[in-house]
């Protein structure tokens, strides 16, 4: 029976009271006569189960209940299973150091003054669903051994959970924090949920530890200047969260979800150990994601990172798809698995510090032919396309990606989700500009190479003639970026020129000049006609040291686009003309490749 009304001669005084009736009486604890109340309280023993749902408590009445349940063995009030659903507490309600051995239920309870649960012990589940705290709610050093539910709670004053410990699952879903919320050094052993909550004041999560997931999905932070440092053994989910003011987030966790997260002002994310997903995030002003090099500090003391022992402290971003990269700054981030497809303004993305990308496979690859991939920075999208094109098998869930193969995509081998070379070329083009704007020419060179590679393999958007030209450009010099390749072709061309000249380009002997003149009979000037015999094609032994020296002289002069002045056969003349065109081009490509690698 919930209602304390409608029974006996005193029914008029009880109309409207929602308090549950005390066993053996027709009224709730607040409306019992003094004699009946004293009799009831005297009959309580420490650890007794109580049911005072809907009962209005004044400070004296609550103090009397606490005295009746005082356990001399532990020196504290001791509750068994406690039912305070919809109870009203007028004035301050102090459960300081109280122990709740059974389930403690305060669902829809109303606290009109301060609610003090400092150093309280909840050995069973604790429920505060839809409770209302008009004053401060103080749970400093409280311990929750079971699940703690604060869903849809309204905290009008300060909500303080200093050094509180939560052993089970904790839920603050859709809670309203109108004042400051302080979780300084709080420890959450089970999953902690703050989904769709509203924090209107400051939020203190300094050195808060989460042994399981910390879920802030859809939470709004209206006035929080700093989030953390937070340490989480698993995932921190900020998906759909909204940050209204400039904020610094310091998080050490294995994964940080920022899918559709909104930053209405500037933000700095200092992260450790984290795999980060920024898909569809909304950045109104510059947001920096930084890999923090050392453990975070709290009051000049390094934070305890034992929850993350054995994990790599680096930070990896896995996706920026759907994000406007104009305001994004990445510093010292591993981008080897990052998906850039679908992002906007990638040409304005800022990459600072040592941002790393995936490299090409390290081994020889055999498909139609045996080939070795030149080591260069690549995008994850190129890896996924090449793995799809090569027909690589789907790796097992526990298999570590091999550096000897291309990395497969998340939807491998479904071709509908594999990026096409034309899409990857566009990504390379935009990111190349980002490297160039950051004065990172070697990085820009790798992305130019990637762009050319994708254009060369694009059978849809690149015409055949252009692809053939790109094939030649790639073969001769790696798109003007591989100096050794160009020098190798130059050496080969020079060797061929030398061999051809020795074989048929140099004459047998140097043609002799002859002067023929006629002396006039009466004297006077003598006129000479100087003629030269045509060079004779070589015969006999053509590969001699002397002929090699002459051929080398012709070839070296051709490299620098000069004529050697040697007498050549007709065939040799054409050989020299060809070498004077081809070899300077190859030398120029080698010089260009060196410049692209060393310029700043």
């Amino acid at each position: 029976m919930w209602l304390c009304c409608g029974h006996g001669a005193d029914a008029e005084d009880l109309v409207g009271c929602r308090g549950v009736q005390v066993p053996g009486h027709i009224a709730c604890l607040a409306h019992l006569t003094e004699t009946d109340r004293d009799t009831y309280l005297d009959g309580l023993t420490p650890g007794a189960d109580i049911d005072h749902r809907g009962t209005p408590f004044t400070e004296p009445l609550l103090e009397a209940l606490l005295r009746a349940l005082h356990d001399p063995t532990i020196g504290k009030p001791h509750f068994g299973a406690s039912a305070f659903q919809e109870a009203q507490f007028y004035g301050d309600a102090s459960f300081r150091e109280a122990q709740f051995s059974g389930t403690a239920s305060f669902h829809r309870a109303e606290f009109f003054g301060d609610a003090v649960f400092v150093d309280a012990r909840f050995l069973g589940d604790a429920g505060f669903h839809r409770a209302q705290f008009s004053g401060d709610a103080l749970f400093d050093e409280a311990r929750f051994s079971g699940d703690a539910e604060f869903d849809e709670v309204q905290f009008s004053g300060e909500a303080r959970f200093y050094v509180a410990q939560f052993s089970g699952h904790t839920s603050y879903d859709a809670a309203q924090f109108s004042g400051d919320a302080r979780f300084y050094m709080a420890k959450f052993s089970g999953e902690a949920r703050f989904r769709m909550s509203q924090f209107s004041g400051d939020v203190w999560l300094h050195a808060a530890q989460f042994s399981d997931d910390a879920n802030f999905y859809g939470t709004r932070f209206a006035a929080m200047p700093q989030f953390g440092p937070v340490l989480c053994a698993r995932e921190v989910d900020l998906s759909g969260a909204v940050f209204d003011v400039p904020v610094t987030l310091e998080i050490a966790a294995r994964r940080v979800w920022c899918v559709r997260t909104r930053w209405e002002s500037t933000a700095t994310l200092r992260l450790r150990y984290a795999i980060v997903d920024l898909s569809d995030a909304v950045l109104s002003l510059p947001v920096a994601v930084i890999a923090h090099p050392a453990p975070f500090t709290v009051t000049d003391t390094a934070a305890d990172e034992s929850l993350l022992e054995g994990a790599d402290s680096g930070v990896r971003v896995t996706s920026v798809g759907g994000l406007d990269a104009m305001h994004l700054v990445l510093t010292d981030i591993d981008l080897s698995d990052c998906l850039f497809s679908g992002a906007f303004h990638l040409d304005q993305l800022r990459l600072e510090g040592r941002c790393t990308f995936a490299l090409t496979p390290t081994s020889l690859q055999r498909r139609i032919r045996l080939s070795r991939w030149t080591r260069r920075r690549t995008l994850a999208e190129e890896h996924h396309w090449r793995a799809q094109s090569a027909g690589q098998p789907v790796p097992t869930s526990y298999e570590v990606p091999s550096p000897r193969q291309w990395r497969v995509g998340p939807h491998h081998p479904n071709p509908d989700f594999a990026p096409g070379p034309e899409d990857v070329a566009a990504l390379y083009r935009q990111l190349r500009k980002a490297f160039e704007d950051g004065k990172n020419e070697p990085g820009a060179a790798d992305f130019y190479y990637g762009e050319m590679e994708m254009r060369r393999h694009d059978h849809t958007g690149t015409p055949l003639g252009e692809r053939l030209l790109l094939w030649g450009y790639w073969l001769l010099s790696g798109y003007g970026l591989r100096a050794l390749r160009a020098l190798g072709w130059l050496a080969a061309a020079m060797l061929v020129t030398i061999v051809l000249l020795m074989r048929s380009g140099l004459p047998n002997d140097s043609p002799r000049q002859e002067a023929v003149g006629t002396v006039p009979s009466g004297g006077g000037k003598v006129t000479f006609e100087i003629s030269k015999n045509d060079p004779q094609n070589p015969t006999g032994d053509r590969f001699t040291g002397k002929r090699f020296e002459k051929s080398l002289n012709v070839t070296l002069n051709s490299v620098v686009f000069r004529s050697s002045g040697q007498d050549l056969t007709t065939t040799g003349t054409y050989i020299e003309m060809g070498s004077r065109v081809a070899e300077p081009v190859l030398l120029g490509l080698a010089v260009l490749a060196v410049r692209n690698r060393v310029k700043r």
Side-chain angles (χ1 to χ4, degrees):
M1 186 70 180
W2 268 86
L3 294 180
C4 173
C5 62
H7 298 277
D10 298 326
E12 283 187 15
D13 298 332
L14 307 180
V15 172
C17 178
R18 295 177 297 170
V20 69
Q21 297 171 358
V22 174
H25 300 275
I26 61 171
C28 69
L29 180 62
H31 291 105
L32 286 178
T33 64
E34 185 175 351
T35 301
D36 290 342
R37 185 184 304 124
D38 291 342
T39 301
Y40 167 73
L41 293 176
D42 290 340
L44 293 177
T45 58
D49 296 340
I50 60 171
D51 184 357
H52 294 299
R53 291 170 290 170
T55 301
F57 282 90
T58 61
E59 288 188 44
L61 180 59
L62 179 59
E63 290 173 1
L65 178 61
L66 294 172
R67 282 195 302 270
L69 294 171
H70 183 80
D71 190 340
T73 60
I74 60 175
K76 303 173 182 179
H78 185 186
F79 294 81
S82 307
F84 289 99
Q85 294 97 315
E86 298 189 20
Q88 306 100 48
F89 296 90
Y90 297 93
D92 295 341
S94 178
F95 291 86
R96 184 184 294 269
E97 298 183 343
Q99 179 172 304
F100 298 86
S101 298
T103 299
S105 178
F106 290 85
H107 298 315
R108 297 184 178 87
E110 297 179 84
F111 297 85
F112 295 98
D114 292 343
V116 181
F117 290 85
V118 174
D119 203 22
R121 300 292 184 267
F122 297 88
L123 304 183
D125 294 341
F128 291 84
H129 177 70
R130 290 191 178 180
Q132 296 185 24
F133 296 86
S134 299
D136 295 338
L138 308 179
F139 289 83
D140 299 346
E141 299 186 54
R143 295 184 183 178
F144 299 83
S145 299
D147 295 342
E149 182 185 0
F150 291 86
D151 293 346
E152 300 182 55
V153 170
Q154 293 187 16
F155 296 94
S156 298
E158 182 180 42
R160 212 167 69 193
F161 293 83
Y162 281 164
V163 202
Q165 296 186 24
F166 301 85
S167 299
H169 295 300
T170 307
S171 176
Y172 290 86
D173 289 348
Q176 303 282 334
F177 296 83
S178 299
D180 293 343
R182 302 179 183 272
F183 293 88
Y184 178 77
M185 295 187 70
K187 293 184 178 180
F188 299 84
S189 298
E191 182 186 10
R193 299 200 308 261
F194 295 81
R195 299 177 302 187
M196 307 304 293
S197 295
Q198 301 282 334
F199 291 92
S200 299
D202 193 4
V203 184
W204 281 44
L205 287 164
H206 296 60
Q209 294 188 14
F210 298 85
S211 300
D212 206 303
D213 296 340
N215 193 329
F216 294 87
Y217 177 86
T219 298
R220 191 177 197 103
F221 300 92
M224 182 183 66
Q226 182 164 347
F227 183 102
V230 165
L231 297 102
C232 182
R234 297 184 65 182
E235 300 179 355
V236 175
D237 191 352
L238 296 171
S239 298
V242 180
F243 296 87
D244 289 332
V245 298
V247 61
T248 298
L249 295 91
E250 295 183 338
I251 303 173
R254 296 182 189 274
R255 182 176 288 274
V256 177
W257 294 93
C258 294
V259 179
R260 295 185 300 278
T261 304
R262 290 178 57 191
W263 281 278
E264 300 293 351
S265 188
T266 57
T268 300
L269 282 74
R270 297 193 182 103
L271 307 175
R272 289 176 58 76
Y273 301 97
I275 298 173
V276 187
D277 191 334
L278 294 168
S279 300
D280 301 309
V282 179
L283 317 181
S284 299
L285 289 171
V287 172
V289 181
I290 302 171
H292 199 66
F296 300 117
T297 58
V298 181
T299 62
D300 298 327
T301 304
D304 181 11
E305 295 185 341
S306 57
L307 291 173
L308 296 155
E309 186 176 0
D312 181 7
S313 63
V315 177
R316 289 194 294 136
V317 172
T318 58
S319 176
V320 295
L323 175 148
D324 190 338
M326 178 173 61
H327 295 304
L328 183 61
V329 182
L330 301 177
T331 304
D332 297 330
I333 302 298
D334 183 352
L335 299 170
S336 57
D337 291 315
C338 185
L339 297 177
F340 292 91
S341 300
F344 307 97
H345 297 122
L346 281 174
D347 57 324
Q348 299 181 49
L349 173 67
R350 290 180 57 187
L351 300 173
E352 298 184 352
R354 188 174 181 272
C355 290
T356 58
F357 290 83
L359 299 175
T360 50
T362 57
S363 67
L364 294 175
Q365 303 288 313
R366 180 161 193 151
R367 216 173 142 199
I368 297 177
R369 63 188 182 282
L370 195 65
S371 61
R372 183 182 185 278
W373 302 107
T374 304
R375 298 292 280 173
R376 59 181 171 88
R377 301 175 183 89
T378 57
L379 294 181
E381 282 87 352
E382 181 180 352
H383 272 260
H384 300 167
W385 174 77
R386 289 189 182 274
Q388 175 73 30
S389 301
Q392 287 184 199
V394 179
T396 59
S397 58
Y398 56 84
E399 185 177 351
V400 178
S402 172
R404 302 169 65 88
Q405 291 183 315
W406 297 101
R407 302 186 186 192
V408 301
H411 302 287
H412 185 80
N414 190 334
D416 295 335
F417 293 97
E422 66 278 9
D423 301 320
V424 183
L427 296 177
Y428 272 123
R429 188 178 306 114
Q430 294 182 72
L431 288 168
R432 173 168 60 88
K433 185 178 183 301
F435 274 110
E436 291 171 346
D437 292 343
K439 306 302 181 183
N440 185 350
E441 294 297 338
D446 275 353
F447 277 35
Y448 173 75
Y449 192 104
E451 179 189 349
M452 294 297 102
E453 279 286 276
M454 294 299 98
R455 290 178 57 195
R456 180 165 66 94
H457 290 285
D458 179 14
H459 292 267
T460 303
T462 307
L464 176 61
E466 186 176 337
R467 290 205 312 274
L468 293 176
L469 181 63
L470 290 172
W471 271 96
Y473 195 21
W474 165 78
L475 186 64
L476 292 177
S477 64
Y479 310 112
L481 295 172
R482 300 294 181 258
L484 289 179
R485 189 179 305 180
L487 290 174
W489 281 110
L490 175 61
M494 292 175 64
L495 179 61
V496 170
T497 301
I498 290 172
V499 171
L500 291 177
L501 287 174
M502 292 176 66
R503 183 179 182 280
S504 55
L506 297 177
N508 235 7
D509 297 304
S510 297
R512 296 181 180 179
Q513 294 182 342
E514 295 182 356
V516 179
T518 302
V519 178
S521 57
K525 292 183 178 180
V526 179
T527 302
F528 291 93
E529 290 184 1
I530 300 176
S531 61
K532 190 176 184 179
N533 297 330
D534 292 334
Q536 300 299 310
N537 290 326
T539 58
D541 187 5
R542 306 175 188 182
F543 298 96
T544 63
K546 185 175 181 180
R547 290 176 64 83
F548 172 80
E549 182 180 353
K550 289 184 178 181
S551 299
L552 179 61
N553 182 272
V554 173
T555 303
L556 291 176
N557 279 279
S558 297
V559 170
V560 293
F561 210 71
R562 292 176 53 192
S563 174
S564 64
Q566 295 279 355
D567 292 319
L568 301 174
T569 64
T570 302
T571 303
T573 301
Y574 285 109
I575 294 173
E576 183 187 35
M577 291 170 60
S579 66
R580 288 177 64 187
V581 173
E583 291 166 8
V585 170
L586 292 172
L587 179 62
L589 290 175
V591 173
L592 176 64
V594 172
R595 178 180 179 275
N596 285 332
R597 284 297 177 183
V598 300
K599 74 173 182 177
R600 291 289 178 183

